[in-house]
Amino acid sequence: MSEQKPISLPAYIYYSLAAAWKLVQGNSRAMEYFDLSSDGFWKSFWAIALIIPIFAIKLIGDSNAGLAQPYLSISIYVITALPVTAIVMHYFTRWMSIGEHYASMVIAYNWLNALTVNIVMIISMLLLQLFPEAQMVGIINMILSFYLKVYVVWLMFKASLQISGWLAIGVLLFESLFNGVYQIMLMRFIDPEMFATLMQQVSNPPS
């Protein structure tokens, strides 16, 4: 992204998402399109503002459909996930001695999350509206989620941190494990009734 002249925030967000889209496309030079300055690091947290609306729409839809959800813990997770992950990854990358490009990783990670969360949510909701009874919808969602949330995130870690593919797998596993535990802990302490219900379902799966 050019830093020669100032641009409006909407335009900045557009160019950042366009850079994230290049990651989704598997472009090996995608990092060149992000604003990797110190200002770009802090601006990347505007990604949260792009994630909140689609989650709000989903939660409202689930509520209207009578689906029980841990609304409070999900809301807190959506708002805090990116900054909390950035803090944790700061110490993790330093511990792994791969923190030289930490800021670039956070920038790409934030904008990529804003893009992929919206893609997955929108496509999932559209498919459920068009084919509510089709089992193929679940398969499509699984394939789409794997590509965007596993392969593309792995590619982002590899490109942004400038590390090997094998090491990027380790970073991906740590990030996924941390976010999973973080969600569960929020539910455990903020929505204990939903947490208890979830644990009961896990302990007694349907036969």
Side-chain angles (χ1 to χ4, degrees), residues 40-51:
F41 175 87
W42 297 110
K43 283 183 176 179
S44 72
F45 290 97
W46 275 104
I48 299 170
L50 305 182
I51 295 173

Side-chain angles (χ1 to χ4, degrees), residues 76-193:
I76 293 174
Y77 176 79
V78 169
I79 295 170
T80 63
L82 293 186
V84 170
T85 300
I87 293 170
V88 170
M89 293 301 286
H90 169 70
Y91 291 102
F92 178 73
T93 54
R94 286 183 63 185
W95 178 68
M96 292 287 292
S97 300
I98 54 173
E100 181 181 359
H101 303 286
Y102 160 79
S104 299
M105 181 272 292
V106 171
I107 292 166
Y109 180 87
N110 288 350
W111 291 119
L112 182 62
N113 264 276
L115 180 65
T116 56
V117 164
N118 277 274
I119 290 175
V120 171
M121 290 284 193
I122 290 170
I123 292 179
S124 296
M125 288 188 290
L126 285 175
L127 288 174
L128 286 172
Q129 289 295 319
L130 294 172
F131 312 103
E133 304 298 329
Q135 293 183 348
M136 186 60 67
V137 172
I139 297 174
I140 294 173
N141 284 336
M142 184 173 64
I143 294 172
L144 181 65
S145 294
F146 178 84
Y147 179 77
L148 294 176
K149 297 182 178 181
V150 178
Y151 173 74
V152 175
V153 176
W154 167 81
L155 181 66
M156 180 275 301
F157 282 134
K158 180 174 178 289
S160 62
L161 290 170
Q162 299 183 26
I163 56 178
S164 70
W166 287 108
L167 187 52
I169 291 175
V171 177
L172 172 65
L173 290 174
F174 174 81
E175 179 270 338
S176 300
L177 178 63
F178 166 73
N179 273 287
V181 171
Y182 183 45
Q183 284 181 278
I184 292 172
M185 293 304 293
L186 283 175
M187 189 190 304
R188 168 68 179 83
F189 292 105
I190 297 173
D191 288 305
E193 292 183 1

